[in-house]
Amino acid sequence: MSSHPKWYVSLLAKYLEKWERDEQAQLILIKGAGRAFSAGGDLKMFYEGRKSKDSCLEVVYRMYWLCYHIHTYKKTQVALVQGISMGGGASLMVPMKFSVVTEKTVFATPEASIGFHVDCGFSYMLSHLPGHLGEYLALTGARLNGKELVVAGLATHFVPLEKLPELEKRLISLNVGDENAVKATIEEFSLHVQLDEDSILNKKQIIDECFSKDTVADIIKSFEVEASKEGNEWIGPVLKGLKRSSPTGLKITLRSIREGRKQTLAESLKKEFRLTMNILRTTISADVYEGIRALTIDKDNAPKWDPPILDQVDDEKIDLVFQPFAEDLELKVPEQEDCRWDGKYENSAYAK
């Protein structure tokens, strides 16, 4: 049995389509194994395929196509998220009708820091958060815990970890798709959440002030001003991380989030497909491979970005990675109900 991400994505898509069509299937329950719900499996795959042209295209196409179907799924879904849920892995948590998190849940979208961008629909999801929290999470890769996820609207319920196995058993024995019945069952176990005093979600005024600025450079300048004020010591480490991130990744990510605010989910996923393929093809920079090397391969945490500073990242070059592909090479997102499961990779121009 293959452990390649392409295999997992294909299998998940196959089962989700089968269950949506199956009248006997009422409730779809997704849970992680061990300490992680889903996190970071594609980075190594990207790096290993860096010298082969479009070696990751199939899995990227399949994943973004699947993301659309997870968002628009017709049956009631519940995600039980007991651990790390990062990057693309979190696309199996946030869009669900019910997403249950615990005190051990950790969420983040750290892709910009390594020269990539927020993908798997997150340029759409983060851009629709209140104020400019989306820009903050996307650019800084800041982590949110379970309570914060519920308050931010990225999860629906907080259940203590020790109660999760019992909730799972109850949901399995329930086996009905009625949303009210599922919700009532989860709420027997869930707690009302109260944010910790130092939660980032209590810093909304500063985040909105700084991360509403037009450019990454202006955001950093505004953040530096706030950092100098009394009581804002929390900003220092966040600023340090921002300044160590890939300048190209930051610029692409900010623009993608801003565009996502005005796009449909389908438009955002098509855009993300273009961005990912252009980044993996090193159309304007090889930062993504340098970022993965420094973070997960050599683990020296000393990436050498090209270009190394924001001022040297040409906006015209950024335009290049956002350009539409030829129509037959775009991600095919089937928006008509009667052909909802069309557009698969095997029927695309790439497979031919």
Side-chain angles (χ1 to χ4, degrees):
M1 189 178 283
S2 171
S3 62
H4 193 281
K6 179 173 73 179
W7 181 85
Y8 290 120
V9 172
S10 299
L11 195 66
L12 183 56
K14 176 183 165 187
Y15 277 114
L16 285 176
E17 180 177 1
K18 179 184 172 187
W19 293 331
E20 187 176 282
R21 295 178 188 276
D22 182 356
E23 290 180 11
Q24 300 299 310
Q26 297 291 317
L27 178 65
I28 312 302
L29 190 62
I30 294 179
K31 61 175 256 188
R35 289 169 54 229
F37 177 72
S38 187
D42 50 357
L43 293 184
K44 196 172 176 202
M45 173 191 72
F46 286 164
Y47 192 78
E48 288 173 348
R50 68 195 184 281
K51 292 181 179 170
S52 307
K53 184 173 172 11
D54 288 351
S55 63
C56 299
L57 189 148
E58 181 179 344
V59 69
V60 169
Y61 187 104
R62 288 185 184 278
M63 185 64 199
Y64 295 1
W65 181 87
L66 175 61
C67 284
Y68 180 79
H69 291 82
I70 290 170
H71 272 264
T72 57
Y73 205 64
K74 304 300 181 193
K75 300 277 177 81
T76 304
Q77 314 146 293
V78 180
L80 301 178
V81 188
Q82 78 270 44
I84 298 166
S85 183
M86 289 195 182
S91 64
L92 298 176
M93 172 185 79
V94 178
M96 300 293 178
K97 177 59 72 176
F98 300 105
S99 44
V100 178
V101 293
T102 76
E103 67 274 21
K104 295 289 188 185
T105 306
V106 178
F107 164 87
T109 49
E111 295 89 345
S113 65
I114 60 156
F116 200 51
H117 67 109
V118 287
D119 67 334
C120 293
F122 274 101
S123 72
Y124 177 82
M125 289 181 272
L126 293 183
S127 70
H128 285 76
L129 291 177
H132 294 275
L133 179 62
E135 282 99 329
Y136 176 79
L137 295 175
L139 293 175
T140 67
R143 296 183 171 202
L144 296 182
N145 61 32
K147 292 177 184 176
E148 291 169 327
L149 285 167
V150 173
V151 173
L154 292 166
T156 61
H157 294 83
F158 180 89
V159 171
L161 184 62
E162 63 182 16
K163 292 186 178 180
L164 213 58
E166 184 60 29
L167 170 59
E168 184 183 349
K169 281 183 197 165
R170 285 284 300 281
L171 288 169
I172 290 169
S173 62
L174 182 70
N175 195 31
V176 296
D178 179 67
E179 285 181 20
N180 291 328
V182 173
K183 185 179 181 185
T185 302
I186 296 171
E187 286 179 349
E188 286 178 41
F189 295 83
S190 67
L191 301 178
H192 175 71
V193 300
Q194 204 158 1
L195 288 174
D196 298 331
E197 198 178 325
D198 62 350
S199 168
I200 193 63
L201 299 184
N202 290 327
K203 320 287 188 193
K204 183 179 185 316
Q205 195 172 346
I206 292 174
I207 287 173
D208 286 351
E209 169 64 28
C210 298
F211 286 79
S212 60
K213 300 293 184 271
D214 287 343
T215 68
V216 177
D218 288 343
I219 286 171
I220 290 174
K221 275 181 207 158
S222 179
F223 216 27
E224 284 172 334
V225 170
E226 293 296 330
S228 65
K229 297 177 183 175
E230 193 176 337
N232 285 348
E233 291 77 13
W234 63 274
I235 294 178
V238 183
L239 254 179
K240 189 176 177 186
L242 257 179
K243 291 176 178 179
R244 290 181 61 192
S245 297
S246 158
T248 301
L250 291 174
K251 278 202 168 187
I252 291 172
T253 295
L254 180 62
R255 176 164 163 184
S256 183
I257 293 283
R258 296 271 162 89
E259 288 191 2
R261 203 163 270 139
K262 300 169 191 164
Q263 290 173 326
T264 63
L265 171 65
E267 288 166 344
S268 289
L269 285 165
K270 288 179 180 183
K271 170 199 65 189
E272 290 172 6
F273 177 69
R274 295 174 207 132
L275 291 179
T276 293
M277 294 318 304
N278 278 322
I279 288 170
L280 295 179
R281 290 166 177 167
T282 64
T283 301
I284 62 170
S285 169
D287 273 7
V288 67
Y289 299 122
E290 175 61 6
I292 296 170
R293 179 205 65 74
L295 183 76
T296 65
I297 309 297
D298 298 338
K299 298 183 180 175
D300 57 22
N301 286 316
K304 293 179 173 56
W305 304 125
D306 180 25
I309 57 173
L310 280 166
D311 287 352
Q312 293 176 7
V313 182
D314 190 336
D315 287 341
E316 286 182 10
K317 283 195 171 180
I318 298 294
D319 288 342
L320 283 178
V321 295
F322 282 85
Q323 290 301 311
F325 291 159
E327 181 54 38
D328 63 328
L329 299 179
E330 294 278 22
L331 178 72
K332 301 297 179 203
V333 178
E335 296 182 76
Q336 282 79 33
E337 285 300 310
D338 55 347
C339 55
R340 171 168 162 68
W341 291 92
D342 288 0
K344 293 183 175 79
Y345 171 81
E346 50 267 36
N347 298 322
S348 73
Y350 293 110
K352 295 166 190 169

